[in-house]
Amino acid sequence: MKKILLAIFTLTILVCATANAQKGGVLRGNIFDKNTGEPMIFSTVVLQGTTIGTTSDVDGFFSIGNIPVGSYTLVVSSIGYDSTAIKVTIKEGGINSQRVMLTASSIQLGTVEISSRREQARSDVSISKVTVTANQIRSLPGTGGQADIAQYLPVLPGIISTGDQGGQIYIRGGSPIQNRILLDGMTIFNPFHSIGFYSVFETETIKTVDVLTAGFNAEYGGRVSAVVDLKTREGNKKRIAGLVSANPFQAKAVLEGPLKKFQEGSGSTSFLFTAKHSYINETSPLLYSYAVDTTFYPTSDAGLSEKDRKRLPFSFTDFYGKLSFLTNNGSKLNLFGFNFNDDVNYIGVAKLGWQNVGGGANFTLIPPNSNLVIGGTVAYSDYSIELQEAGEQPRSSGISNYNVKLDFTYFGLRNEIKYGFEVIGLDTKFKFRNFVGNTISQNDNTTELGAFIKYKARYGDFIFEPSLRFQLYASQGTSNLEPRLGLKYNVTDGFRLKAAGGFYSQNLISSVSELDVVNLFVGFLTGPEEQVTKPNSTESAPHRLQKAFHAVVGTEIDLSKNVELNVEPYFKNFTQLIQINRNKLSPTDPNFVTEKGKAYGIDLTLRYETKKLYLWSTYSLAYVDRNDGEQNYPTIFDRRHNVNLLGTYKFGEKLEWEAALRWNMGSGFPFTQTQGFYGNINFNDGLNTDPLTTNGELGIVLDGKRNGGRLPYYHRLDGSLKRVFKFGKYTSLEVVASATNMYNRENIFYFDRVRNKRINQLPIMPSLGVTFIF
């Protein structure tokens, strides 16, 4: 029956697609900022006097097919730019290509001011999807005066961070391994640094970040919870530009410019290079010594200086480079490479380091005589991590990854079809020794193949987007068909209903347990090739994959010209999750265990935006449960209530001042309570061990009810004040005073049971940062 339903679903997509065979002509083009050569994203494209129109994509590209033959006036609009009108003629079977240059202006030409974001909302399903730009990230009062996507993500609905130090990102009930992070089409493993304020991504390079928290279409696969798709911009196409920046946390530099200048009617070649390095491990003894928990260090170590005891142990260095080639018809090729490094050094206690090196290419090909746009990505990366703890065997992990993706998009009048395939190769190396000395290791090579087809059509006020993905997991010897569906109904111009759902699967497993409050060691394994059993059972599981089902409904309401409300209830059913068996007591015990889980709740977002004032507020009510076959329990990231308030205000004669505040409040995370303690004697000398005289380690007796307690509520206020000094058309100086945890709230991170000590998250941390832009 399931195969019959899938066949009907696939046939429906193909029938819908072929029913819109090419008639009339095609109008397509690229929209650029005339001054900088930057692509104009989400610009509005309309044929005057008709209902025919669209919006440009993140590359400034647009395409409309099946346009009736005739002469039209093409009107292109974007907020803050002069509208442009162009006479175009559409011929039967012909393709009319345009290169549109928009000029920045404080005056909007035309009788109606069109919000590109709202036009995008009316024309896309966009459920459980938030598109973030670099400007929005910069609006955040960032730590050290430098906002980062790692700080911005927890502001979004349904996203939780567990801490400042080694904290992880959890998206609507999914743990980090269940979220796919993409950089220019390439999967990035462990994208967040050990000090949780910063990611490997440089804000100044970001074009857009699509955050898909549930119900995403078949274009994405290989994960069962969420996707964060980050795209970087090209370098400046007109002039050499860049910036240098420094604050107590880090220093960074950006350099960009043309190798071949952008001109109307011709292509261009540009470069973009960024570098950043943290200094918090050097500045903290002087500025933030009060933020360091010195009790981690042994008191008897005479070789450890007082300065080292007061040092925050985190450091990182990131490099990213990009070379972009653009042709006169909008086809482009990007070559990119990166080297990301992270180190944590608790001197004499533990030392951790990881590195991620890689590179690749992505391209968009726009054939001159075809209404088909071809895109692709070819990339390779190598990630390795090692943790050495005093007196313990080292833990290590590595994963090499290549991916090749090719997709094809056909544009109709009010519909489009996109299809493609993806090949992913994984080479994993992992070694872990648990508390009783049993070792779990893996050296594996595997391949994943994915193919998808997505159809999108607009019928009046109704948007219909069915899609289907096929996943083949070579190491598992199995495949999975994953139908998905997205719907939207524009009830009025300011009121929209939407829904989405689908099936998802993945093979990749993380070494980080969902039971860990903090774990800096993030290793990766492919799914088990051995047979796995159902939760707490000897009965074989029907497969060795992790699988989930999503269902989301929602509404978008434009309460006024400047106010938007979004409400989304959601449900995720994780039908099988797989983890390392950390409690493996003998070599014959299985290496992996399974469990099930559910995540459900509701997210509300209210947004207000004018030229000077930007307000953003979210509230999330969430439930995240797991079932290991013994009991149903909440996960450590099950935050019942979460509130985010963000405000940015620009003021001054030339709006040279900007003040920003962000407040976050969340209910306490669950934890398993302590019942008692005992002396744990390891009997290393066998029968010669005397339990009466041997000093055993402290053993802990935990409550039988897992995660039955709740930590106190969390809340924190961050703020910043920025002043911009203009020296010329392109030259300026930004000075930012900021403070993290402004009222110095003592937010608990976790409780160290062995030392009987409460560990708090970071206290108030004021800073002053300077950025020179040229």
Side-chain angles (χ1 to χ4, degrees):
M1 185 63 183
K2 183 178 178 181
K3 292 183 178 180
I4 294 175
L5 291 174
L6 287 172
I8 295 173
F9 188 85
T10 306
L11 185 62
T12 301
I13 296 177
L14 295 175
V15 169
C16 290
T18 55
N20 291 275
Q22 180 67 48
K23 296 178 182 178
V26 176
L27 174 64
R28 70 186 184 194
N30 293 86
I31 308 171
F32 298 98
D33 182 308
K34 188 174 183 178
N35 182 50
T36 65
E38 284 295 305
M40 298 293 298
I41 66 175
F42 306 146
S43 296
T44 302
V45 179
V46 176
L47 294 183
Q48 196 173 64
T50 75
T51 59
I52 299 173
T54 187
T55 55
S56 61
D57 64 13
V58 295
D59 295 316
F61 176 77
F62 69 91
S63 182
I64 309 172
N66 303 115
I67 301 175
V69 173
S71 296
Y72 301 90
T73 299
L74 171 66
V75 179
V76 180
S77 308
S78 189
I79 299 300
Y81 288 79
D82 291 341
S83 299
T84 297
I86 303 171
K87 297 290 185 181
V88 295
T89 300
I90 303 300
K91 298 179 180 180
E92 182 67 36
I95 298 177
N96 188 319
S97 297
Q98 296 291 327
R99 190 179 175 106
V100 183
M101 314 298 292
L102 294 184
T103 304
S105 174
S106 58
I107 302 173
Q108 186 74 19
L109 299 183
T111 58
V112 180
E113 184 182 82
I114 302 173
S115 168
S116 59
R117 188 178 62 253
R118 290 189 177 179
E119 283 300 310
Q120 193 79 4
R122 295 184 185 110
S123 58
D124 285 345
V125 173
S126 295
I127 189 167
S128 297
K129 176 183 176 182
V130 179
T131 298
V132 179
T133 65
N135 285 335
Q136 290 172 311
I137 297 172
R138 293 190 199 101
S139 70
L140 194 71
T143 302
Q146 293 289 342
D148 189 277
I149 188 64
Q151 302 166 41
Y152 196 89
L153 284 175
V155 177
L156 302 180
I159 300 182
I160 296 294
S161 174
T162 55
D164 304 327
Q165 305 172 66
Q168 298 288 330
I169 297 294
Y170 299 85
I171 303 180
R172 281 187 173 172
S175 61
I177 188 60
Q178 294 153 10
N179 308 318
R180 188 176 185 186
I181 313 293
L182 296 170
L183 173 63
D184 290 326
M186 176 182 186
T187 302
I188 298 295
F189 299 95
N190 199 10
F192 304 109
H193 287 297
S194 297
I195 184 165
F197 296 128
Y198 299 107
S199 71
V200 300
F201 310 119
E202 172 50 52
T203 301
E204 303 302 327
T205 69
I206 291 175
K207 180 191 294 182
T208 60
V209 184
D210 287 334
V211 184
L212 303 103
T213 57
F216 47 92
N217 64 51
E219 197 173 341
Y220 300 98
R223 295 296 186 274
V224 294
S225 184
V227 174
V228 178
D229 188 359
L230 188 148
K231 297 180 176 65
T232 60
R233 62 179 179 85
E234 294 86 21
N236 195 301
K237 302 179 180 68
K238 290 288 189 82
R239 62 181 182 86
I240 296 294
L243 63 82
V244 289
S245 175
N247 61 66
F249 286 80
Q250 66 172 353
K252 69 178 183 181
V254 177
L255 184 64
E256 57 183 307
L259 299 177
K260 178 186 176 184
K261 286 189 176 182
F262 177 87
Q263 295 178 342
E264 292 189 43
S266 67
S268 67
T269 303
S270 63
F271 71 91
L272 174 66
F273 178 77
T274 72
K276 60 182 178 183
H277 179 71
S278 66
Y279 289 101
I280 189 64
N281 59 327
E282 300 297 334
T283 60
S284 54
L286 177 64
L287 301 177
Y288 307 117
S289 61
Y290 59 88
V292 182
D293 178 17
T294 60
T295 60
F296 275 111
Y297 299 111
T299 57
S300 60
D301 189 354
L304 192 64
S305 68
E306 189 63 25
K307 182 179 179 180
D308 286 335
R309 290 179 182 276
K310 295 181 178 180
R311 187 189 306 275
L312 284 170
F314 309 103
S315 64
F316 60 82
T317 304
D318 297 330
F319 297 99
Y320 177 81
K322 186 174 185 178
L323 192 61
S324 302
F325 304 87
L326 177 69
T327 67
N328 60 354
N329 79 330
S331 296
K332 66 175 184 177
L333 170 67
N334 295 309
L335 305 176
F336 59 89
F338 59 84
N339 188 333
F340 305 140
N341 295 267
D342 188 274
D343 289 287
V344 181
N345 188 10
Y346 286 99
I347 300 173
V349 178
K351 182 176 176 59
L352 175 139
W354 60 256
Q355 181 182 45
N356 197 356
V357 180
N362 58 53
F363 65 89
T364 301
L365 179 62
I366 305 175
N369 299 314
S370 172
N371 188 24
L372 199 67
V373 176
I374 305 171
T377 301
V378 179
Y380 173 84
S381 70
D382 183 71
Y383 168 87
S384 60
I385 185 171
E386 183 172 271
L387 172 64
Q388 178 65 66
E389 296 175 287
E392 299 289 340
Q393 292 290 323
R395 282 188 265 173
S396 62
S397 178
I399 181 168
S400 299
N401 167 75
Y402 73 83
N403 67 295
V404 179
K405 183 179 180 181
L406 194 62
D407 57 66
F408 307 85
T409 307
Y410 166 85
F411 296 91
L413 181 60
R414 291 183 176 84
N415 58 81
E416 67 180 64
I417 184 168
K418 186 172 186 177
Y419 56 93
F421 66 87
E422 183 176 30
V423 181
I424 297 175
L426 298 169
D427 180 8
T428 57
K429 296 179 177 64
F430 177 81
K431 189 174 183 179
F432 168 77
R433 187 178 181 183
N434 71 0
F435 66 101
V436 295
N438 283 314
T439 298
I440 299 174
S441 62
Q442 183 188 87
N443 291 282
D444 197 12
N445 292 278
T446 188
T447 304
E448 298 178 9
L449 303 176
F452 72 91
I453 181 170
K454 180 185 74 172
Y455 177 72
K456 174 186 168 185
R458 181 164 183 167
Y459 302 100
D461 295 320
F462 184 74
I463 302 170
F464 175 62
E465 189 182 272
S467 60
L468 180 66
R469 187 173 186 91
F470 171 79
Q471 284 283 130
L472 174 65
Y473 299 97
S475 64
Q476 304 296 338
T478 187
S479 60
N480 203 49
L481 276 173
E482 301 169 6
R484 304 171 191 176
L485 179 64
L487 304 169
K488 176 170 278 187
Y489 178 57
N490 292 284
V491 182
T492 67
D493 282 346
F495 179 45
R496 299 171 289 278
L497 300 175
K498 53 188 178 179
F503 294 88
Y504 305 85
S505 66
Q506 79 174 69
N507 187 36
L508 201 64
I509 297 172
S510 171
S511 66
V512 178
S513 170
E514 292 186 0
L515 301 178
D516 291 337
V517 177
V518 57
N519 190 335
L520 299 177
F521 180 79
V522 181
F524 298 93
L525 308 86
T526 54
E529 297 182 17
E530 64 191 60
Q531 184 62 50
V532 295
T533 61
K534 293 182 178 181
N536 195 35
S537 169
T538 57
E539 183 182 352
S540 296
H543 56 80
R544 293 169 292 179
L545 295 175
Q546 301 178 81
K547 293 187 178 183
F549 168 75
H550 298 183
V552 194
V553 297
T555 180
E556 300 166 354
I557 306 172
D558 300 334
L559 298 175
S560 71
K561 177 182 176 182
N562 304 109
V563 183
E564 303 167 16
L565 173 66
N566 186 80
V567 182
E568 286 186 4
Y570 65 90
F571 173 77
K572 293 181 180 179
N573 184 19
F574 300 99
T575 55
Q576 179 165 284
L577 299 173
I578 301 175
Q579 294 192 37
I580 295 173
N581 184 9
R582 294 189 170 202
N583 296 321
K584 181 176 180 176
L585 299 178
S586 71
T588 59
D589 287 344
N591 289 325
F592 301 92
V593 293
T594 64
E595 60 182 6
K596 299 179 179 181
K598 288 182 172 64
Y600 53 95
I602 184 169
D603 293 326
L604 294 89
T605 305
L606 188 65
R607 175 184 186 139
Y608 174 84
E609 186 172 9
T610 64
K611 184 178 181 180
K612 294 183 179 181
L613 181 63
Y614 175 75
L615 299 175
W616 171 273
S617 61
T618 66
Y619 168 74
S620 297
L621 173 67
Y623 296 83
V624 186
D625 297 326
R626 297 287 188 262
N627 190 306
D628 61 1
E630 292 184 1
Q631 58 180 298
N632 202 69
Y633 64 94
T635 66
I636 59 159
F637 51 93
D638 175 41
R639 171 159 279 170
R640 186 72 67 245
H641 306 282
N642 195 49
V643 176
N644 272 289
L645 302 176
L646 171 64
T648 303
Y649 181 67
K650 296 180 180 180
F651 59 99
E653 184 178 351
K654 297 181 180 179
L655 302 182
E656 67 273 19
W657 289 91
E658 181 178 283
L661 289 172
R662 182 248 175 150
W663 185 72
N664 176 220
M665 185 274 290
S667 56
F669 289 123
F671 74 100
T672 302
Q673 296 169 309
T674 303
Q675 291 286 75
F677 300 91
Y678 66 96
N680 183 22
I681 301 174
N682 54 33
F683 287 91
N684 286 335
D685 294 332
L687 294 176
N688 294 324
T689 302
D690 185 353
L692 298 178
T693 59
T694 300
N695 292 321
E697 297 178 352
L698 183 65
I700 302 170
V701 179
L702 297 178
D703 189 1
K705 185 179 180 182
R706 182 176 295 178
N707 292 340
R710 289 272 174 177
L711 296 174
Y713 264 67
Y714 166 97
H715 53 87
R716 192 181 87 186
L717 177 69
D718 301 339
S720 66
L721 181 64
K722 179 170 68 177
R723 174 67 159 89
V724 179
F725 299 91
K726 285 279 189 179
F727 303 125
K729 185 177 181 180
Y730 301 116
T731 309
S732 63
L733 181 71
E734 293 183 356
V735 180
V736 183
S738 66
T740 301
N741 195 2
M742 290 180 67
Y743 51 77
N744 203 27
R745 161 75 174 179
E746 292 187 347
N747 289 304
I748 188 171
F749 192 8
Y750 65 95
F751 195 87
D752 189 325
R753 306 173 200 264
V754 175
R755 296 186 298 153
N756 193 33
K757 181 177 176 59
R758 169 177 167 152
I759 307 299
N760 287 329
Q761 301 199 42
L762 293 174
I764 181 171
M765 300 185 75
S767 66
L768 185 68
V770 178
T771 302
F772 178 69
I773 303 169
F774 59 91

